[in-house]
């Protein structure tokens, strides 16, 4: 089948019927067998009340009982449907999966409402989109069948292979295979597939990267379509070439994306901060073949030492900034007062000429330079004429950061470990990252300066597009659930961390972050807080963005500054270009008085159609057909890819350490054991409770610790322990640890503790190593 159920539903409007022939054309179906497959799918969806059919055609049915969600499963068969509308997760029993797999987009029907301590339960009614067209597996012969067992044990199945694939059997397990799914399970029939190729398990860094690319199906990305790019000239653009713009450099990897340029104009009562973004959206037709391809790519992907670019090679070359070269840009002038508050802004299409690039080495030399020194460090010589502007940018960046943190923005000191293969992953992108928190950076880091400028520029465009009621893509970052925050606060109080709760007994995420940063158990506590922070999402309507310090009715943040990184930025650039080039600044040509569409001066002054409906229709249709959901799905994919890259690098660093005893820190405690983070790679492994032979240990969930009944030995969050690395499975990112227990003086042994019944974990003694394998995946959602 050339289309998924999700593709089909995306083409159907909710408020009117679409004729069948137009649906066939929209799905690209021209052959008779393909049209017959569509008819079969439609008949099934009609029975499920997912679509409705009339003489006029087909339309999506309004069925609130069917909830769109994405499946997240564990290796033990525990599955939850994560609702796309942000509602409470729905527990799905294994027999209610109806052949859906981990990661699939599904429609779920609730069969049992949730209670105070119980999630609602439901069953999968329809699979919208399969997440796993291929997988990594190991082959084994079982009687008369050749089976592929997925490396990802969240896929609760085996795939039947043809007998000819027995040639890929590897008794020594020096390789794994890529299996392409030919038929998903249906009725009583198992899934079928075939081996595409074998991949080495221990082939070095490049082989590991190939494994991850295969796992995430990135080794065969579709090539960019042939499309002629528009040549942009200085006509109709503001000439800003005399303004000395600087190019911050964050990354050194192959094909690293280009970034915005910055310039600063001091004023008597503040300053004007200029941000120049690469002019990408102007170079191709909106909703054309190249635009559709970019939507499918969605994001630039960092693989450590190299990148998979979002843009096509021609588009990358055309839009790139370079010191000393004139280039087209989309710019904003941000008017700031002396305290760093935004007072006004104005957008424009511009022509710029950056004067120099600025990297971390230059800014570090600037920070270490003595104020009255007459010598110029080598790293600063190319910037000799821009040192004053650099110092002012560093000071302004720190001032804006202070305002953001005061407004409740969350910063954590959880940098990635110093592993060379991680490359550019170790440097955070400009603007808010997808994980819902910001990495604390020194003020002289180029990413710190660029981050504050990007957040402010995105805030300005968010306010502008929201006020003009244009179909923008907004970035939202809701406040964390108060119950989850209270659980983290209780864990901290059990560790005797001093906390001052609010009048209602609640703690804010910002307050917890500030207290944890000063604690001796800082890293472990910040990891707990990280786990409850809401990820960044895209939305067709504005909303809170706590990372930018925006909360309230007027909160709006629209990404547009980094079109080389995310398609959402390209989308909002398209809107901005439409506004600046085709927006009507007066009701008709006869009116002599016009409004300035590039600044907030026009807000509330427009009572006429701002743009021709024909220009906005394709944008509205794309939003109606699920663009936001697809882009959010791509962002989750990006988070999973980065987590896998980190876990693989850490596991490889741990392999030579098998059998060694190393110091570590307890990073999590559960009823089945505790997790230990071992520096310097910060690899995390499990000490299973069954390996603690000296006593019987009770799990005290309220205190987040394990306590020995006889010897009273305690293992709790943030404790320093010594562990032996016993086993490393790099493919599954699983590390087995054993704690090295100090001997206890027999005179110190006392009677067993009597623990109150209500303080014992409900899952006392349960859980196994498979539970550990599911934890990192579920926590990323």
């Amino acid at each position: 089948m050339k289309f998924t159920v999700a593709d089909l539903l995306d083409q159907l409007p909710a408020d009117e019927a679409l004729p069948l022939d137009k649906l066939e054309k929209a799905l690209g179906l021209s052959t008779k067998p393909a049209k017959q497959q569509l008819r079969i799918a439609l008949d099934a969806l009609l029975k499920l009340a997912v679509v409705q059919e009339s003489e006029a055609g087909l339309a999506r049915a309004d069925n609130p009982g069917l909830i769109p969600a994405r499946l997240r499963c564990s290796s033990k068969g525990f599955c939850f449907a994560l609702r796309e509308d942000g509602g409470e997760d729905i527990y799905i029993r294994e027999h209610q999966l109806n052949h859906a797999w981990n990661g699939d987009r599904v429609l779920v029907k609730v069969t049992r409402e949730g209670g105070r301590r119980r999630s609602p339960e439901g069953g999968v009614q329809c699979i919208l989109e399969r997440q796993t067209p291929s997988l990594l597996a190991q082959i084994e012969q079982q009687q008369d069948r050749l089976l592929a067992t997925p490396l990802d044990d969240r896929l609760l199945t085996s795939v039947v292979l043809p007998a000819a694939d027995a040639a890929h059997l590897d008794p020594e397990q020096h390789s794994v295979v890529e299996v392409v799914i030919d038929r998903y399970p249906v009725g009583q029939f198992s899934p079928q597939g075939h081996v595409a190729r074998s991949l080495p398990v221990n082939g070095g860094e490049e082989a590991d990267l190939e494994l991850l690319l295969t796992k995430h199906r990135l080794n065969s990305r579709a090539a960019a379509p042939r499309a002629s790019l528009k040549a942009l000239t200085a006509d109709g653009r503001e000439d800003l070439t005399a303004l000395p713009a600087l190019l911050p450099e964050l990354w050194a990897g192959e094909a690293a994306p280009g970034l915005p340029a910055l310039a600063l104009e001091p004023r008597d009562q503040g300053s004007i901060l200029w941000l120049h973004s690469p002019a990408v959206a102007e170079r191709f037709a909106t909703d054309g073949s190249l635009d559709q391809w970019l939507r499918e790519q969605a994001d630039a992907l960092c693989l450590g030492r190299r990148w998979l670019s979002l843009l096509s090679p021609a588009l990358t070359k055309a839009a790139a900034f370079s010191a000393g070269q004139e280039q087209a840009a989309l710019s904003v002038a941000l008017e700031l007062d002396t305290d760093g508050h935004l007072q006004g802004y104005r957008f424009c299409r511009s022509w710029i000429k950056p004067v120099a690039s600025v990297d971390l080495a230059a800014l570090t030399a600037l920070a270490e330079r003595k104020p009255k020194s007459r010598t110029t460090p080598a790293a600063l010589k190319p910037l000799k004429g821009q040192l004053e502007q650099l110092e002012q940018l560093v000071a302004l960046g720190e001032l804006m950061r202070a305002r953001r943190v005061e407004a409740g923005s969350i910063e954590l000191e959880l940098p990635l470990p110093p592993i060379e293969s991680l490359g550019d992953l170790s440097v955070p992108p400009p603007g808010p990252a997808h994980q819902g928190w910001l990495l604390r950076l020194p003020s002289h880091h180029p990413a710190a300066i660029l981050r504050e400028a990007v957040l402010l520029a995105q805030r300005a465009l968010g306010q502008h597009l929201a006020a003009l009621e244009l179909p923008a893509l907004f970035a939202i970052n809701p406040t964390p659930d108060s119950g989850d925050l209270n659980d983290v606060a209780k864990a901290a109080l059990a560790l005797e961390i001093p906390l001052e709760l609010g009048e209602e007994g609640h703690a804010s995420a910002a307050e917890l972050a500030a207290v944890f940063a000063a604690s001796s158990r800082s890293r472990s506590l910040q990891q707990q807080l990280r786990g409850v922070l809401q990820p960044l999402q895209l939305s067709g309507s504005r909303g809170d963005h706590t990372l930018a310090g925006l909360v309230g009715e007027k909160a709006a943040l629209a990404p547009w500054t980094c079109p080389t990184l995310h398609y959402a930025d390209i989308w909002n650039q398209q809107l901005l270009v439409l506004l600046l080039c085709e927006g009507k600044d007066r009701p008709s040509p006869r009116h002599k008085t016009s409004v300035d569409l590039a600044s907030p001066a026009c807000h509330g002054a427009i009572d006429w159609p701002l743009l021709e409906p024909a220009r906005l229709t394709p944008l509205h249709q794309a939003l109606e057909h699920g663009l936001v959901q697809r882009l959010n799905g791509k962002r989750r994919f990006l988070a999973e890819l980065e987590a896998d890259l980190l876990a693989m690098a850490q596991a490889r660093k741990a392999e030579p350490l098998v059998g060694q005893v190393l110091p570590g820190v307890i990073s999590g405690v559960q009823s089945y054991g505790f997790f230990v983070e071992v520096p310097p790679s910060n690899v995390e492994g499990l000490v299973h409770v069954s390996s603690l032979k000296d006593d019987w240990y009770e799990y005290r969930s309220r205190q987040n610790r394990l306590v020995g009944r006889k010897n009273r030995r305690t293992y709790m969050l943030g404790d320093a322990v010594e562990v032996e690395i016993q086993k490393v499975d790099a493919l599954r990112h699983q590390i087995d640890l054993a704690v090295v227990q100090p001997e206890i003086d027999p005179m110190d042994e006392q009677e067993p503790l009597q623990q109150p019944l209500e303080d014992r974990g409900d899952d006392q003694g349960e859980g196994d190593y498979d539970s550990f394998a599911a934890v990192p995946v579920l926590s990323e959602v």
Side-chain angles (χ1 to χ4, degrees):
M1 188 179 294
K2 296 182 179 181
F3 59 90
T4 66
V5 176
D7 294 333
L8 190 159
L9 295 179
D10 285 346
Q11 300 300 326
L12 297 180
D15 53 352
E16 59 180 313
L18 183 71
L20 179 60
D21 59 341
K22 290 189 176 181
L23 176 60
E24 292 171 345
K25 183 178 180 180
L27 292 173
L29 307 180
S30 56
T31 64
K32 185 175 181 180
K35 294 179 179 180
Q36 290 176 337
Q37 289 180 329
L38 174 61
R39 187 67 254 177
I40 293 171
L42 288 172
D43 290 341
L45 294 175
L46 286 167
K47 292 180 180 180
L48 290 171
V50 176
V51 300
Q52 54 190 14
E53 188 171 20
S54 64
E55 293 182 359
L58 296 142
R60 279 179 287 170
D62 183 15
N63 190 342
L66 295 179
I67 302 168
R70 187 174 294 274
L71 281 183
R72 281 294 180 266
C73 302
S74 76
S75 59
K76 305 302 289 185
F78 301 110
C79 296
F80 285 87
L82 280 60
R83 298 174 54 155
E84 293 183 354
D85 61 6
E88 187 176 4
D89 297 346
I90 303 168
Y91 176 58
I92 311 292
R93 297 183 184 274
E94 191 170 357
H95 69 276
Q96 293 278 24
L97 286 173
N98 290 327
H99 296 311
W101 289 355
N102 176 66
D104 289 348
R105 283 187 65 208
V106 295
L107 290 177
V108 175
K109 182 178 181 180
V110 174
T111 57
R112 179 177 178 179
E113 297 296 334
R116 187 171 65 91
R117 299 187 62 185
R118 181 184 294 274
S119 298
E121 295 186 20
V124 173
Q125 301 298 300
C126 177
I127 299 173
L128 295 174
E129 188 174 25
R130 289 286 189 178
Q131 178 69 18
T132 313
S134 63
L135 51 86
L136 291 177
Q138 292 175 327
I139 304 179
E140 57 181 330
Q141 185 78 47
Q142 290 188 1
Q143 298 178 354
D144 59 342
R145 295 201 307 172
L146 189 65
L147 299 179
T149 302
L151 291 182
D152 187 348
D153 49 14
R154 295 170 297 158
L155 298 176
L156 310 174
T157 186
S158 294
V159 181
V160 179
L161 302 176
D165 283 345
H168 294 277
L169 278 169
D170 181 9
E172 303 298 327
Q173 296 187 353
H174 294 312
S175 64
V176 296
V177 295
E178 177 187 5
V179 174
V180 176
I181 304 299
D182 298 322
R183 186 192 71 191
Y184 289 99
V186 56
Q188 72 273 28
F189 299 104
S190 301
Q192 292 181 350
H194 68 275
V195 174
R197 56 176 175 159
S198 294
L199 296 164
V201 172
N202 298 305
E205 183 179 324
E206 283 301 316
D208 286 348
L209 183 57
E210 185 62 24
L211 283 169
L212 291 177
L213 291 177
T214 303
K215 174 182 177 181
H216 293 280
R217 294 167 293 282
L218 292 171
N219 50 354
S220 57
R221 298 181 92 191
R226 292 184 178 180
S228 298
L229 301 180
K230 300 176 183 178
L232 305 185
T233 66
D235 295 340
R237 314 185 81 90
E238 294 191 20
D239 186 357
L240 301 177
T241 54
L243 193 66
L246 299 173
L247 292 173
E249 288 189 353
L250 306 187
W251 300 309
E254 178 187 345
L259 295 170
L262 300 177
L264 189 64
E265 285 188 282
R267 297 292 176 92
D268 292 339
Q269 300 299 321
S271 58
I272 295 181
L273 175 62
W274 286 90
L275 184 141
H276 310 293
S277 175
V280 171
E282 293 181 78
R283 300 179 185 273
F284 53 87
T286 300
D287 208 36
S289 59
L290 181 56
D291 191 24
Q292 293 290 341
W293 179 81
L294 290 168
R295 291 182 194 179
E296 184 61 29
Q297 304 307 305
D299 300 286
L301 305 177
C302 180
L303 304 178
R305 301 179 195 264
R306 63 185 175 93
W307 290 73
L308 294 181
S309 179
L310 165 64
L311 307 182
S312 66
L315 192 52
T316 298
K317 182 179 180 180
F321 289 160
S322 180
Q325 299 293 321
E326 294 185 358
Q327 183 57 279
L330 277 176
S331 302
V332 61
L334 302 164
E335 301 173 14
L336 306 173
D337 63 17
T338 54
D339 293 324
H341 294 119
L342 182 64
Q343 300 298 305
Y345 54 83
R346 190 176 186 279
F347 297 97
C348 66
R349 296 161 62 241
S350 64
W351 201 254
I352 68 169
K353 185 178 180 180
V355 295
S357 297
V358 182
D359 59 13
L360 179 59
L363 286 174
T364 302
L366 183 68
E368 296 173 349
R369 185 188 183 203
K370 295 181 180 179
K372 297 183 180 180
S373 175
R374 295 183 179 180
T375 60
T376 302
L380 291 176
K381 287 183 178 180
L383 298 161
K384 194 171 182 180
Q386 305 300 323
L387 296 184
E388 184 178 0
Q389 181 179 204
L390 267 182
E391 292 173 344
Q392 293 170 347
L393 280 171
V394 171
L396 179 61
E398 184 60 21
L399 182 61
M400 291 191 295
R401 174 197 166 271
R403 297 289 173 266
R404 174 173 52 78
V405 173
E406 286 175 5
S409 183
I410 306 299
E411 290 188 350
L412 302 177
E413 296 185 29
L414 295 174
L416 293 187
I419 301 176
E420 290 184 5
S421 62
L422 294 179
D424 288 348
L425 271 180
S426 301
V427 182
H434 53 73
Q435 71 265 32
W437 55 276
L438 296 174
L439 178 65
R440 178 73 172 96
L441 293 169
S443 59
H444 63 271
H445 198 292
I449 301 171
L450 189 55
R451 171 194 289 170
E452 303 307 327
V454 164
L455 284 171
L456 205 60
Q458 293 183 353
R459 173 183 165 189
L461 187 64
Q463 291 178 0
H464 202 53
L465 297 181
L468 299 178
E469 299 182 351
L470 293 175
L473 290 177
F474 296 97
I476 60 174
N477 174 230
T479 55
D481 180 78
S482 59
D484 293 337
L485 284 176
N486 283 342
D487 288 342
V488 175
K490 289 175 183 177
L493 289 171
L495 297 172
E496 299 182 353
I497 304 297
L499 286 176
E500 293 185 7
L501 303 181
E503 295 180 358
E504 299 181 357
H506 298 306
S508 72
E511 291 168 340
L512 292 177
V515 172
F516 292 171
S519 168
S520 60
R521 301 175 187 265
S522 171
R523 182 173 177 84
S524 298
L525 288 168
Q526 288 187 80
Q527 287 172 325
Q528 298 298 307
L529 179 58
R530 175 180 64 183
V532 303
L533 296 177
Q534 298 289 334
L536 186 73
Q537 292 185 326
L538 297 173
S539 174
S541 57
R542 61 185 181 178
D544 293 348
H545 198 292
T546 54
L547 280 181
L550 299 176
V551 178
E553 294 182 1
K554 296 184 178 181
L557 190 142
W560 67 280
T561 56
C562 300
T564 58
L565 282 174
H566 307 294
Y567 180 78
D569 295 60
I570 296 176
W571 175 278
N572 287 330
Q573 273 203 5
Q574 290 172 338
L575 277 176
L576 182 55
V577 171
L578 272 178
L579 178 66
L580 296 177
C581 295
E582 303 181 28
K584 297 180 180 179
D585 60 359
R586 65 193 77 187
S588 70
R590 295 190 302 272
H591 285 74
K592 296 182 179 180
T593 304
S594 63
V595 296
D596 183 7
L597 297 179
S599 76
C602 67
H603 297 177
I606 299 174
D607 58 0
W608 58 87
L610 188 58
L611 291 164
E612 292 293 338
R615 301 295 285 157
L616 293 175
T617 297
L619 301 177
H620 285 295
Q621 289 179 342
L623 292 176
E624 291 174 359
H625 293 164
L627 175 65
V628 171
Q629 290 78 9
R630 289 196 297 275
L631 291 179
N632 280 330
K634 293 289 187 178
R635 291 215 166 188
R636 287 190 295 268
F637 171 85
L638 174 61
E640 292 173 0
L641 173 64
E642 291 180 354
D644 269 358
L645 285 164
L646 172 60
M648 176 69 85
Q650 290 176 310
R652 291 303 191 193
K653 283 291 184 181
E655 282 181 327
L657 305 177
V658 171
Q660 295 187 26
V661 175
L662 299 167
V665 176
I666 295 179
S667 56
V669 183
Q670 297 293 334
S671 61
Y672 50 82
F674 54 88
F675 302 102
V676 177
E677 193 178 65
V678 182
S681 67
N682 292 339
V683 65
E684 191 177 55
L686 175 71
V687 176
H688 199 277
V689 69
S690 63
S691 69
L692 303 175
K693 304 294 187 181
D694 63 324
D695 203 349
W696 182 69
Y697 283 83
E698 294 179 340
Y699 175 52
R700 300 191 175 182
S701 58
R702 294 182 183 178
Q703 299 173 348
N704 202 23
R705 65 184 67 185
L706 290 172
V707 181
R709 286 292 301 271
K710 182 179 179 181
N711 59 27
R712 293 191 299 179
R713 178 175 282 138
T714 301
Y715 295 102
M716 60 183 180
L717 193 69
D719 277 356
V721 293
E722 287 195 335
V723 292
E724 178 186 347
I725 299 181
Q726 293 188 322
K727 181 182 177 183
V728 176
D729 187 338
L731 293 178
R732 294 180 174 85
H733 315 322
Q734 295 175 351
I735 317 295
D736 286 344
L737 303 176
V739 71
V740 179
Q741 296 172 326
E743 295 185 2
I744 295 180
D745 189 336
M747 297 298 294
D748 291 339
E749 293 186 0
Q750 299 184 16
E751 293 297 318
L753 296 176
Q754 296 299 319
Q755 181 188 4
L757 181 61
E758 65 273 14
D759 196 35
R760 297 177 183 172
D762 294 335
D763 51 354
Q764 173 67 43
E766 296 181 358
D768 56 14
Y769 192 73
D770 292 327
S771 303
F772 164 60
V775 168
V777 176
L778 296 177
S779 66
E780 292 292 333
V781 175

